[in-house]
Amino acid sequence: KGFPQLYIGEFATLSKEQQVTTENAVKEVIRRLRSYQTVDGAFSYWPGGTSSNAWGTVYATHFLLSAEAKGYLVPDGMKRNVLNNLRRVARDWKPVSSYYVRSEEMTQAYRLYVLALGQVPEVGAMNRLKENKSLTPMSRWLLAAGYALVGRPDVSKELVVKTTALTTACSGYDQTFGSDLRDTSIRLMTFCLLGDGKEAALLANEISKTLASDDWLSTQSTAFSLVALSDYMKKYKVSGSMDFSYT
């Protein structure tokens, strides 16, 4: 719940009371994450857990880095330990032969993106993953975003061009808690990094419609949507005047 609340102030005018409530909620999530961290630096699915959750660990790290960028105090030890864990796992990662192959691969791509976001990229691991001939579309998008962050938009564009029809992994073997909205948001994040305003505008419109609907959304889908739309609004500023009608 804390992740979307990092961005809600950019999309709505909050009262002083709402600002305090939102800030306290984010601080509480950061505080509680201590009880989720395992001895190897990763995060478990439940507080006090001893086994880590791969996607959850990367997602929690993404949240911590975003919170820190927004001015929240993130314990240095907690951040350092999880980044070290992600680097170690990223370096040692190999494709698996199981029903979870797509989830494992996408988690590695997300891991590499978050490491690049945290300014400790594992370029060697990125290059190895890029050479995988059977990379799924969403793994390509996340990896492309990582390459854009490390200053290689050429490689990023090459990966995006090769993407095929998008299908969200919604099977019982999906370990990334995926949704169409989450995946569309990842694509928007990548287009913003690459400066492709035309494609970004189409996706921003699509995401806005979903957020404005009465559809049930997971907290992860909402968070990714607001992260992506925030990136879009910073990159492509709205002019001072607007012309529209509403009902």
Side-chain angles (χ1 to χ4, degrees), residues 58 61-62 65 83 86 109-119:
V58 187
T61 310
H62 190 183
L65 293 173
L83 286 175
L86 294 185
Y110 186 27
R111 188 179 290 121
L112 293 168
Y113 164 76
V114 168
L115 284 170
L117 192 67
Q119 299 183 327

Side-chain angles (χ1 to χ4, degrees), residues 22-233:
T22 300
E23 287 174 12
N24 286 342
V26 173
K27 288 175 183 175
E28 175 65 9
V29 172
I30 295 170
R31 187 191 67 78
R32 286 185 61 203
L33 274 175
R34 286 179 180 275
S35 66
Y36 288 74
Q37 196 159 29
T38 58
V39 290
D40 63 354
F43 290 105
S44 61
Y45 192 83
W46 301 107
T50 54
S51 60
S52 60
N53 179 275
W55 184 269
T57 294
V58 187
Y59 184 63
T61 310
H62 190 183
F63 162 75
L64 290 173
L65 293 173
S66 301
E68 190 173 58
K70 291 279 186 186
Y72 288 91
L73 180 64
V74 173
D76 186 62
M78 180 164 69
K79 186 182 86 167
R80 186 175 62 250
N81 289 341
V82 73
L83 286 175
N84 286 340
N85 173 274
L86 294 185
R87 294 184 71 185
R88 187 168 60 251
V89 174
R91 286 194 295 262
D92 295 342
W93 187 86
K94 291 181 179 61
V96 297
S97 298
S98 75
Y99 291 120
Y100 302 107
V101 58
R102 292 169 67 93
S103 293
E104 291 277 354
E105 178 192 279
M106 189 174 172
T107 302
Q108 172 71 348
Y110 186 27
R111 188 179 290 121
L112 293 168
Y113 164 76
V114 168
L115 284 170
L117 192 67
Q119 299 183 327
V120 284
E122 283 292 333
V123 179
M126 292 170 73
N127 291 339
R128 286 194 298 277
L129 186 63
K130 179 172 68 75
E131 294 308 313
N132 187 339
K133 303 298 182 191
S134 59
L135 266 186
T136 59
M138 287 318 302
S139 295
R140 285 184 181 280
W141 283 100
L142 279 166
L143 189 57
Y147 272 110
L149 285 174
V150 298
R152 292 299 306 271
D154 53 328
V155 181
S156 185
K157 287 173 182 173
E158 185 184 327
L159 281 162
V160 168
V161 165
K162 288 182 180 176
T163 53
T164 54
L166 293 170
T167 53
T168 299
C170 296
S171 73
Y173 299 112
D174 174 38
Q175 295 181 313
T176 73
F177 313 96
S179 71
D180 288 331
L181 180 60
R182 192 273 312 267
D183 290 355
T184 302
S185 301
I186 288 170
R187 291 165 60 209
L188 176 56
M189 285 161 51
T190 308
F191 277 135
C192 287
L193 286 169
L194 292 175
D196 192 333
K198 186 177 179 182
E199 292 293 338
L202 293 172
L203 294 181
N205 189 44
E206 185 181 328
I207 291 167
S208 296
K209 285 180 178 176
T210 306
L211 287 176
S213 72
D214 291 327
D215 293 351
W216 180 89
L217 304 175
S218 71
T219 50
Q220 182 187 211
S221 296
T222 306
F224 266 96
S225 299
L226 296 184
V227 170
L229 286 175
S230 172
D231 290 346
Y232 178 76
M233 288 165 65

